[in-house]
């Protein structure tokens, strides 16, 4: 079946540190891949996406590259800020006509 | 401003009671979704609807019911058959139902607790 696996959290970093959150997936066909972010007490917001192999999604200093050979979509940021503290969800759509499938989420906590 | 409105923000359910969570969108989106969020479990799909008067079960539909009589509205009823209803419930919508480039727009959620 289709699924998304994220690294377990929480991830705790100091401000300006480098961030990597690992995400791997299992899917039939050619899924589209997404990262969503959830700030405390709020719903989710789309952070970035990639719709085909080797595409790189980027937004607000975050990047992720669609790697079909390793079925991965790892999230990276070169220098995190306190305001980046949130829960990050990796997700995919396996095919048309179905809903997004989410990973379990990774909590990021950044201290100054 | 366009968006998705969920109400109430907090809801309490007594034993054996049905409760209904409201979700309204003014984005003119065709598709709407209900997800349940539990700590450490991520988001799990309860129901989704691609068009008015049609909906499909997600992964954890048991104990829940929905209706889609209007494009703008997709209420979720948590029935007494749902034995563990305490969770954060998120409603979402998208322009196209399940397209490859799908972006979901989320409401701010309803926290349901059992008294």
């Amino acid at each position: 079946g289709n699924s998304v696996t994220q690294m377990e959290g929480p991830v705790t970093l100091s401000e300006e540190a480098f961030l990597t959150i690992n995400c791997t997936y299992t899917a039939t066909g050619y899924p589209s891949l997404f990262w969503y972010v959830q700030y405390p007490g709020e719903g989710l917001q789309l952070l970035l996406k990639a719709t085909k192999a080797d595409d790189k999604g980027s937004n607000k200093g975050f990047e992720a590259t669609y790697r079909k050979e390793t079925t991965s979509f790892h999230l990276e940021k070169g220098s995190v800020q306190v305001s980046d503290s949130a829960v990050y969800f990796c997700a995919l759509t396996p095919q048309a006509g179905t809903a997004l499938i989410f990973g379990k989420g990774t909590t990021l906590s950044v201290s100054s | 401003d366009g968006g998705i409105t969920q109400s109430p923000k907090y809801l309490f359910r007594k034993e054996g009671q049905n409760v209904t969570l409201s979700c309204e969108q003014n984005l003119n989106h065709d598709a709407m979704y209900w997800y349940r969020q539990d700590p450490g479990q991520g988001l799990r799909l309860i129901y989704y609807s691609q068009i008015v008067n049609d909906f499909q079960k997600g992964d954890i539909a048991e104990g829940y019911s929905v209706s889609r009589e209007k494009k703008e509205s997709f209420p979720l009823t948590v029935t007494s058959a749902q034995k563990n209803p305490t969770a954060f419930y998120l409603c979402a919508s998208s322009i196209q139902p399940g397209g490859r480039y799908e972006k979901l727009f989320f409401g701010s959620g309803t926290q349901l607790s059992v008294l």
Side-chain angles (χ1 to χ4, degrees), chain A residues 30-32 34 36 38 41-44 46 49 51 89 93 95-100 102-104, chain B residues 9 33 35 37 40-43 45 48 50 88 90 97-104 106-108:
Chain A
Y30 299 88
S32 294
F34 305 81
Y36 280 79
Q38 183 181 32
E42 298 182 7
L44 279 68
L46 178 65
K49 68 178 182 182
T51 57
F89 291 92
T93 50
Q95 62 191 43
T98 59
L100 274 173
F102 287 88
K104 293 186 176 182
Chain B
K9 190 169 180 65
Y33 311 81
Y35 286 90
Q37 184 176 17
Q41 294 290 321
L43 274 70
L45 182 65
Y48 65 103
Q50 298 182 343
F88 191 56
L90 285 163
R100 284 182 55 80
Y101 311 105
E102 179 173 353
K103 172 184 175 180
L104 260 58
F106 281 84
S108 57

Coordinates of all heavy atoms in Angstrom, one line a residue, chain A residues 30-32 34 36 38 41-44 46 49 51 89 93 95-100 102-104, chain B residues 9 33 35 37 40-43 45 48 50 88 90 97-104 106-108:
Chain A
Y30 N 3.6 7.1 -9.8 CA 4.5 8.3 -9.6 C 3.7 9.3 -8.7 O 3.0 10.1 -9.2 CB 4.8 8.9 -10.9 CG 5.6 7.9 -11.8 CD1 4.9 7.0 -12.7 CD2 7.0 7.9 -11.7 CE1 5.6 6.1 -13.4 CE2 7.7 7.0 -12.5 CZ 7.0 6.1 -13.4 OH 7.7 5.2 -14.1
P31 N 4.0 9.3 -7.4 CA 3.2 10.2 -6.5 C 3.7 11.6 -6.6 O 4.9 11.8 -7.1 CB 3.5 9.6 -5.1 CG 4.9 8.9 -5.3 CD 4.9 8.4 -6.7
S32 N 2.9 12.5 -6.2 CA 3.4 13.9 -5.9 C 3.7 13.9 -4.4 O 3.1 13.2 -3.6 CB 2.3 14.9 -6.2 OG 2.0 14.9 -7.6
F34 N 4.8 16.2 -0.8 CA 4.6 17.5 -0.1 C 5.2 17.5 1.3 O 5.4 16.5 1.9 CB 3.1 17.7 0.1 CG 2.2 17.6 -1.2 CD1 1.9 16.4 -1.7 CD2 1.8 18.7 -1.9 CE1 1.1 16.2 -2.8 CE2 1.1 18.6 -3.0 CZ 0.7 17.4 -3.5
Y36 N 4.1 19.7 4.7 CA 3.2 20.7 5.4 C 3.8 21.0 6.7 O 4.5 20.2 7.4 CB 1.8 20.1 5.5 CG 0.9 20.1 4.3 CD1 1.1 19.2 3.3 CD2 0.0 21.1 4.2 CE1 0.3 19.2 2.2 CE2 -0.8 21.1 3.0 CZ -0.7 20.2 2.0 OH -1.4 20.2 0.9
Q38 N 2.7 22.7 10.7 CA 1.6 23.0 11.6 C 2.2 23.8 12.8 O 3.0 23.2 13.6 CB 0.9 21.8 12.1 CG -0.2 22.0 13.0 CD -0.9 20.7 13.5 OE1 -0.3 19.7 13.6 NE2 -2.2 20.8 13.7
G41 N -1.6 25.0 17.8 CA -3.0 25.4 17.8 C -3.6 25.7 16.5 O -4.7 26.2 16.4
E42 N -2.9 25.4 15.4 CA -3.4 25.8 14.1 C -3.5 24.6 13.2 O -3.1 23.5 13.5 CB -2.5 26.8 13.4 CG -2.3 28.1 14.2 CD -1.4 29.1 13.4 OE1 -1.0 28.8 12.3 OE2 -1.1 30.1 14.0
G43 N -4.2 24.8 12.0 CA -4.2 23.8 11.0 C -2.9 23.7 10.2 O -1.9 24.4 10.6
L44 N -2.8 22.9 9.2 CA -1.6 22.8 8.4 C -1.6 23.7 7.3 O -2.6 24.1 6.7 CB -1.5 21.3 7.9 CG -1.1 20.2 8.8 CD1 -2.1 20.0 9.9 CD2 -0.8 19.0 8.0
L46 N 0.7 24.3 3.5 CA 1.6 23.8 2.6 C 2.9 24.5 2.6 O 3.0 25.8 2.6 CB 1.1 23.8 1.2 CG 2.0 23.3 0.1 CD1 2.2 21.8 0.2 CD2 1.4 23.6 -1.3
K49 N 6.4 21.5 -2.4 CA 5.9 20.3 -3.0 C 6.8 20.0 -4.2 O 7.5 20.9 -4.7 CB 4.5 20.4 -3.5 CG 4.3 21.4 -4.6 CD 2.8 21.5 -5.1 CE 2.6 22.4 -6.2 NZ 1.2 22.5 -6.7
T51 N 6.4 17.4 -7.9 CA 5.5 16.5 -8.5 C 6.1 15.5 -9.5 O 5.4 14.6 -10.0 CB 4.5 17.4 -9.4 OG1 5.2 18.2 -10.3 CG2 3.7 18.3 -8.4
F89 N 5.0 17.8 8.5 CA 4.4 16.5 8.0 C 4.9 16.3 6.5 O 4.7 17.2 5.7 CB 2.9 16.6 8.0 CG 2.3 16.6 9.4 CD1 2.1 17.8 10.1 CD2 2.0 15.4 10.0 CE1 1.6 17.8 11.3 CE2 1.5 15.4 11.3 CZ 1.2 16.6 11.9
T93 N 0.4 12.2 -2.6 CA -0.8 11.7 -3.3 C -0.4 10.7 -4.3 O 0.3 10.9 -5.2 CB -1.5 12.9 -4.1 OG1 -0.6 13.6 -4.9 CG2 -2.2 13.9 -3.2
Q95 N -2.2 8.9 -6.5 CA -2.9 8.8 -7.8 C -4.1 9.7 -7.8 O -4.5 10.2 -6.8 CB -3.3 7.4 -8.2 CG -4.3 6.8 -7.2 CD -4.6 5.3 -7.4 OE1 -3.6 4.6 -7.6 NE2 -5.8 4.9 -7.4
A96 N -4.6 10.1 -9.0 CA -5.7 11.0 -9.0 C -6.9 10.3 -8.4 O -7.1 9.1 -8.4 CB -6.0 11.3 -10.5
G97 N -7.7 11.1 -7.8 CA -9.0 10.6 -7.2 C -8.9 10.1 -5.7 O -9.8 9.6 -5.2
T98 N -7.7 10.3 -5.1 CA -7.5 9.9 -3.7 C -7.0 11.1 -2.9 O -6.6 12.1 -3.4 CB -6.5 8.7 -3.6 OG1 -5.3 9.1 -4.1 CG2 -7.0 7.5 -4.3
A99 N -7.1 10.9 -1.6 CA -6.7 12.0 -0.7 C -5.2 11.9 -0.3 O -4.6 10.9 -0.5 CB -7.6 12.0 0.5
L100 N -4.7 13.0 0.3 CA -3.4 13.0 0.7 C -3.2 12.0 1.8 O -4.0 11.8 2.7 CB -3.0 14.4 1.3 CG -2.5 15.4 0.3 CD1 -2.4 16.8 1.1 CD2 -1.2 15.0 -0.2
F102 N -0.6 11.2 4.9 CA 0.4 11.9 5.7 C 1.3 11.0 6.5 O 0.9 9.9 6.9 CB -0.3 12.8 6.7 CG -0.9 14.0 6.1 CD1 -2.2 14.0 5.6 CD2 -0.2 15.2 6.0 CE1 -2.8 15.1 5.1 CE2 -0.7 16.4 5.5 CZ -2.0 16.3 5.0
G103 N 2.6 11.4 6.8 CA 3.4 10.8 7.8 C 2.9 11.2 9.2 O 2.0 11.9 9.3
K104 N 3.6 10.7 10.2 CA 3.2 10.9 11.6 C 3.6 12.3 12.1 O 3.2 12.7 13.2 CB 3.7 9.8 12.5 CG 3.1 8.5 12.2 CD 3.5 7.4 13.2 CE 2.8 6.1 12.9 NZ 3.2 5.0 13.9
Chain B
K9 N -14.2 25.7 18.4 CA -12.8 25.4 18.6 C -12.6 24.3 19.6 O -11.7 23.5 19.5 CB -12.1 26.7 19.0 CG -10.5 26.5 19.0 CD -9.9 27.9 19.1 CE -8.4 27.8 19.1 NZ -7.9 27.4 17.8
Y33 N -12.4 17.4 3.1 CA -11.8 16.2 3.8 C -11.9 16.4 5.3 O -11.9 17.5 5.8 CB -10.3 16.1 3.4 CG -10.0 16.1 2.0 CD1 -9.9 17.3 1.3 CD2 -9.7 15.0 1.3 CE1 -9.5 17.4 0.0 CE2 -9.4 15.0 -0.1 CZ -9.3 16.2 -0.7 OH -9.0 16.3 -2.1
Y35 N -9.8 15.0 8.7 CA -8.7 14.2 9.2 C -8.8 14.2 10.8 O -9.3 15.2 11.4 CB -7.4 14.8 8.8 CG -7.0 14.6 7.4 CD1 -7.4 15.5 6.4 CD2 -6.2 13.5 7.0 CE1 -7.0 15.3 5.1 CE2 -5.9 13.3 5.7 CZ -6.2 14.2 4.8 OH -5.9 14.0 3.5
Q37 N -6.3 14.0 14.2 CA -4.9 14.0 14.6 C -4.8 13.6 16.0 O -5.4 14.2 16.9 CB -4.4 15.5 14.4 CG -2.9 15.6 14.7 CD -2.4 17.0 14.4 OE1 -3.2 18.0 14.3 NE2 -1.1 17.1 14.3
G40 N 1.5 11.7 18.1 CA 2.3 10.6 17.7 C 1.7 9.8 16.5 O 2.4 8.9 16.1
Q41 N 0.5 10.1 16.1 CA -0.2 9.3 15.1 C -0.2 10.1 13.7 O -0.6 9.5 12.7 CB -1.6 9.0 15.5 CG -1.6 8.0 16.7 CD -1.2 6.6 16.3 OE1 -1.4 6.1 15.3 NE2 -0.4 6.0 17.2
G42 N 0.1 11.3 13.7 CA 0.0 12.1 12.5 C -1.5 12.3 12.2 O -2.4 12.3 13.1
L43 N -1.8 12.5 10.9 CA -3.2 12.7 10.4 C -3.7 11.5 9.8 O -3.0 10.9 8.9 CB -3.2 13.9 9.4 CG -3.3 15.3 10.0 CD1 -2.0 15.7 10.7 CD2 -3.6 16.3 8.9
L45 N -7.1 9.9 7.7 CA -8.3 10.3 6.9 C -9.6 9.6 7.4 O -9.6 8.4 7.5 CB -8.1 10.0 5.5 CG -9.1 10.5 4.5 CD1 -9.3 12.0 4.5 CD2 -8.8 9.9 3.1
Y48 N -13.9 11.7 2.9 CA -13.6 12.8 2.0 C -14.8 12.8 1.0 O -15.4 11.8 0.8 CB -12.3 12.7 1.3 CG -12.0 11.5 0.4 CD1 -12.1 11.6 -1.0 CD2 -11.7 10.3 1.0 CE1 -11.8 10.6 -1.8 CE2 -11.4 9.2 0.1 CZ -11.5 9.4 -1.2 OH -11.2 8.3 -2.0
Q50 N -15.7 14.4 -3.0 CA -15.2 15.0 -4.2 C -16.2 16.0 -4.9 O -15.8 16.9 -5.6 CB -14.7 13.9 -5.1 CG -13.6 13.1 -4.6 CD -13.1 12.0 -5.5 OE1 -13.7 11.7 -6.5 NE2 -11.9 11.5 -5.2
F88 N -7.9 15.9 17.9 CA -8.0 17.2 17.2 C -8.4 16.9 15.8 O -7.8 16.0 15.1 CB -6.6 17.8 17.2 CG -6.5 19.2 16.8 CD1 -7.3 20.2 17.4 CD2 -5.7 19.6 15.7 CE1 -7.2 21.5 17.0 CE2 -5.6 20.9 15.3 CZ -6.4 21.9 15.9
L90 N -9.4 18.0 12.0 CA -9.0 19.0 11.0 C -9.9 18.8 9.7 O -9.9 17.7 9.2 CB -7.6 18.9 10.6 CG -6.6 19.5 11.7 CD1 -5.2 19.0 11.5 CD2 -6.7 21.0 11.7
P97 N -10.5 17.4 -6.8 CA -10.5 16.2 -6.0 C -9.3 15.2 -6.3 O -9.4 14.6 -7.3 CB -11.8 15.6 -6.3 CG -12.2 16.0 -7.6 CD -11.6 17.4 -7.8
G98 N -8.3 15.2 -5.5 CA -7.3 14.2 -5.6 C -6.4 14.3 -6.7 O -5.8 13.4 -7.2
G99 N -6.2 15.5 -7.3 CA -5.3 15.7 -8.4 C -3.8 15.6 -8.0 O -3.5 15.6 -6.8
R100 N -3.0 15.3 -9.0 CA -1.5 15.1 -8.7 C -0.9 16.4 -8.1 O 0.1 16.3 -7.4 CB -0.8 14.7 -9.9 CG -1.1 13.3 -10.4 CD -0.2 13.0 -11.6 NE 1.2 13.3 -11.5 CZ 2.0 12.5 -10.8 NH1 1.6 11.3 -10.3 NH2 3.3 12.8 -10.8
Y101 N -1.4 17.5 -8.4 CA -0.8 18.8 -7.9 C -1.6 19.3 -6.7 O -1.6 20.5 -6.4 CB -0.8 19.8 -9.0 CG -0.2 19.2 -10.3 CD1 -1.0 18.8 -11.3 CD2 1.2 18.9 -10.3 CE1 -0.5 18.2 -12.5 CE2 1.7 18.3 -11.4 CZ 0.9 17.9 -12.5 OH 1.4 17.3 -13.6
E102 N -2.3 18.4 -6.0 CA -3.3 18.8 -5.0 C -2.6 19.6 -3.9 O -1.6 19.2 -3.3 CB -3.9 17.6 -4.5 CG -4.9 17.9 -3.4 CD -5.7 16.6 -3.0 OE1 -5.5 15.6 -3.6 OE2 -6.4 16.6 -2.0
K103 N -3.2 20.8 -3.6 CA -2.8 21.5 -2.4 C -4.0 21.6 -1.5 O -5.1 22.0 -1.9 CB -2.3 22.9 -2.7 CG -2.1 23.8 -1.5 CD -1.8 25.2 -1.9 CE -1.7 26.1 -0.7 NZ -1.3 27.5 -1.0
L104 N -3.9 21.2 -0.2 CA -5.0 21.2 0.7 C -4.9 22.5 1.5 O -3.8 23.0 1.9 CB -4.9 20.0 1.7 CG -5.8 18.9 1.4 CD1 -5.6 18.3 0.0 CD2 -5.7 17.8 2.5
F106 N -6.4 24.1 5.0 CA -6.9 23.5 6.3 C -7.6 24.6 7.1 O -7.2 25.8 7.1 CB -5.7 22.9 7.1 CG -5.3 21.6 6.6 CD1 -4.4 21.4 5.6 CD2 -5.8 20.5 7.3 CE1 -4.0 20.2 5.2 CE2 -5.4 19.2 6.9 CZ -4.5 19.1 5.8
G107 N -8.6 24.1 7.9 CA -9.1 25.0 8.9 C -8.2 24.9 10.1 O -7.2 24.2 10.2
S108 N -8.6 25.6 11.2 CA -7.8 25.7 12.4 C -8.1 24.7 13.4 O -7.5 24.6 14.5 CB -8.0 27.1 13.0 OG -9.3 27.4 13.3

